[in-house]
Every structure is written in structure tokens, then in C-alpha cells.
Amino acid sequence: MDKCIFCGNADIKVKEISGGEKNRVECPLCTCYIISKDAIDDRIIDNIPRYDRILFSAYLRESVSNKDPLKLLSSDIIKIPETVAPYKKLRPIDKVNKVICYVAESSPCIGGQVSFDIEKDYTRFYCINFTELRQILDYLCEKGIIKKEEKYRGVFLTIEGWEKYEKLKDINLNSKKVFVAMSFNGNVKDLFEKAIEPACAECNLNAIKINLLEHNEKICDKIISEIKNSRLLIADFTEQRQNVYFEAGFALGLGIKVIWTCKEEEDKSNLQFDTRQYNHIFWKDHEDLRTQLVNRIKATVL
């Protein structure tokens, strides 16, 4: 490998592992991943649209670390369009708000500068290229929300910018809603009433479910609206419903906290590659899930 197969960056470090069957790749844009030699040699990535590759680069940067890289096989590369589908629903204003939140949360103090390299950092905000990120930063400067050094090497929030950030936080911090993404069929159809809803109520939060037909590529406006207005999202992957992956990914793209759950004896081994690295609650029965959820909610948002 002479360049990253996702973002195309040539400034990468590649190390053969597992007797040469896999490569560990460290990339300044994608962070780190482990990929099988088969996935590289078969050139499966050539069939993945460039926009999907860039969005997957953003996903890697947001979701993994050098200490815990994502492991990718040929079958995982094929699923990249499904993995990044939620991030295509992000509007320009969602990306703008992600930049504001990032600068605020990275600032050491009011007026403290945050280093930027727009030629590399654009993936952090699900931008397609550095030109898109530069347009966002230009817009924020024109609105008086940020100030910048030459070529955006450093930026900081103005007082107006901090006010904007506080308003963005309040949208979700004051919300009592918890969006629940799960299967509403089969053996877990009563999971909501017997475990998730009581756990949220114990934490003074309101669990919200929307019983709609499963979808593949499109997500309805009502679901998008409810997720955006929720304080967190609970995603249960028992029965492996595609909509659960979709809705959890959309919440992550917006910076909304996600609590990951799955029934231990049924689907633990079936979790898809793009969620395996998250700390799931593996539950045995309704009471076990309720108890673990209460503890995780309190640790996450209360």
C-alpha cells in the first residue's frame, strides 16, 4: 500500500501483521485500521464511490483510535455504502454546527486557539474535501462566530460563538427524550415496555419509539426530527435490523450519545463490523437490561 484506500492520503504508515495476511494502517485522516491482504488484492474498494470512501474516513476518525483500530475484511468493505448512508443525511447546517461544537470543546479557554489543518481536518466534519470545510469556516468568520489565523492554522470562538455553542448544547441537554432504535418484532417486541421505558423513566427521561416499516435507504422526516431533538439514543441490535444501524449512525453524525445494547445469547456474535468497537450492554433478560441501562444512562448523560 502506497496510500490510504479510503482518503487517498500518501502520508501513511503500513505494517504487516498476522504473518503478512493483514496490514495495520495508520493514516492522519482516518486514524488507524487493520485490513486483510485479500481486501486489498481483490480491489473491492474500486467499486465503492469516492464520496462513500471519504465519509467512511470520517467515520473511522470519529469512531476508532490507534489503540483500538477497526478490523476490515472484504465483506466489510462491501458494506461501506450501508455504513455511511446515515451521514449523507447530514445537512450543511449540521456540519456547520459540528465545527462550532468541535472548536468549543477543544478550546482550552475563552479566546484559546484550536489548531486546524483544513487539508486533513475536513474528514472530521464529514466534509467531502477541504474546500467544503474552508467554506464553512469562511461562513463562520463572516457571521462573527469564529476568528482565524492566516490560512486557518488556528481558530477560536468569539463571545457570539460561545453563545451559539451554548444554544446548541441546550437543544439536547434540556431534552427529556430518548430515541429508541430496535426491532419491534419477534422475541424482543416487549423489550421496550418491560426494560427500556422503565429504565428511562427511572432516570427521569422519556423513551420514544416509532413503529414504522423497516426502511433501506430512506429515513422519514419524523424519525430525523425525533433523533435531532433527543438527548440520547438507545440502539438494541438484537435481530440485526438495518434501521437500527441507520438510526444509530445518524445520531453519531450529529454528536448525540448512543447507548449500544444486544441480547447476549442470540446476536452478540452477529454484530456488524461498524459497531463492534463500541461498548455494548449485553443483556440476558428484561430485568438485566433495565438494571444495566439505568447505570449506563446515569454514567452517560446525568
Side-chain angles (χ1 to χ4, degrees):
M1 290 181 65
D2 57 356
K3 63 180 180 180
C4 176
I5 66 172
F6 303 118
C7 68
N9 194 299
D11 184 21
I12 61 173
K13 296 179 180 179
V14 181
K15 180 181 179 181
E16 289 189 349
I17 60 175
S18 302
E21 293 182 0
K22 299 178 181 178
N23 281 341
R24 176 188 168 94
V25 182
E26 294 185 13
C27 172
L29 273 70
C30 303
T31 307
C32 185
Y33 55 91
I34 294 173
I35 186 167
S36 69
K37 281 290 187 65
D38 290 343
I40 299 172
D41 295 341
D42 293 345
R43 300 302 303 174
I44 298 174
I45 194 65
D46 292 344
N47 297 320
I48 306 298
R50 181 179 179 276
Y51 186 31
D52 288 0
R53 297 187 217 176
I54 294 297
L55 290 178
F56 191 71
S57 171
Y59 166 82
L60 286 170
R61 184 163 188 167
E62 189 171 61
S63 306
V64 304
S65 66
N66 287 344
K67 294 182 179 179
D68 189 22
L70 194 62
K71 300 174 179 62
L72 299 166
L73 304 174
S74 296
S75 57
D76 301 322
I77 302 299
I78 294 172
K79 294 177 181 176
I80 284 178
E82 295 179 14
T83 301
V84 303
Y87 308 115
K88 292 181 179 179
K89 292 292 181 179
L90 294 176
R91 303 168 303 169
I93 193 62
D94 295 325
K95 298 178 184 181
V96 169
N97 291 339
K98 283 180 73 70
V99 172
I100 295 172
C101 290
Y102 172 76
V103 176
E105 292 163 7
S106 301
S107 297
C109 59
I110 294 177
Q113 286 200 351
V114 176
S115 297
F116 254 86
D117 183 343
I118 62 173
E119 293 189 1
K120 295 179 179 179
D121 285 336
Y122 69 89
T123 60
R124 189 186 300 276
F125 310 105
Y126 295 93
C127 294
I128 189 61
N129 51 37
F130 71 87
T131 301
E132 185 178 4
L133 176 57
R134 185 169 57 198
Q135 289 180 334
I136 290 174
L137 294 173
D138 286 344
Y139 167 80
L140 292 174
C141 281
E142 291 172 4
K143 294 295 183 181
I145 293 175
I146 65 170
K147 289 189 176 180
K148 66 179 178 69
E149 286 188 348
E150 184 181 359
K151 296 183 179 179
Y152 290 112
R153 285 191 292 265
V155 303
F156 65 92
L157 288 182
T158 63
I159 296 301
E160 291 83 357
W162 283 105
E163 290 177 347
K164 176 65 174 177
Y165 171 65
E166 292 299 327
K167 290 178 180 178
L168 290 173
K169 281 202 311 178
D170 288 345
I171 292 174
N172 293 104
L173 287 180
N174 293 331
S175 175
K176 294 292 184 180
K177 290 184 178 181
V178 177
F179 189 93
V180 180
M182 60 175 286
S183 169
F184 295 106
N185 301 312
N187 297 325
V188 293
K189 61 183 178 181
D190 57 351
L191 187 67
F192 180 86
E193 289 79 8
K194 294 185 177 181
I196 298 177
E197 189 173 37
C200 292
E202 188 170 336
C203 298
N204 197 29
L205 297 171
N206 301 319
I208 305 296
K209 69 173 181 175
I210 298 178
N211 284 352
L212 295 176
L213 295 176
E214 302 289 351
H215 52 78
N216 293 319
E217 298 179 356
K218 293 184 178 180
I219 185 170
C220 77
D221 292 341
K222 181 63 175 175
I223 289 178
I224 290 176
S225 175
E226 290 292 348
I227 292 176
K228 286 183 175 180
N229 291 316
S230 295
R231 188 165 182 181
L232 71 126
L233 183 143
I234 295 174
D236 185 81
F237 293 91
T238 309
E239 297 191 353
Q240 301 293 310
R241 299 294 182 180
Q242 184 61 34
N243 68 295
V244 179
Y245 285 93
F246 198 109
E247 290 156 17
F250 185 72
L252 280 179
L254 292 174
I256 295 172
K257 301 286 187 181
V258 176
I259 295 178
W260 314 80
T261 74
C262 183
K263 191 170 185 180
E264 188 172 46
E265 64 185 26
E266 292 187 8
D267 278 338
K268 182 177 181 179
S269 61
N270 294 326
L271 290 171
Q272 299 298 309
F273 78 97
D274 50 339
T275 62
R276 283 195 294 254
Q277 74 273 21
Y278 295 111
N279 183 19
H280 286 69
I281 293 175
F282 293 110
W283 53 274
K284 298 178 180 178
D285 53 38
H286 293 151
E287 183 58 29
D288 180 39
L289 177 58
R290 187 197 66 78
T291 300
Q292 291 195 68
L293 264 181
V294 169
N295 293 332
R296 184 67 62 85
I297 291 172
K298 289 181 178 178
T300 303
V301 298
L302 300 182

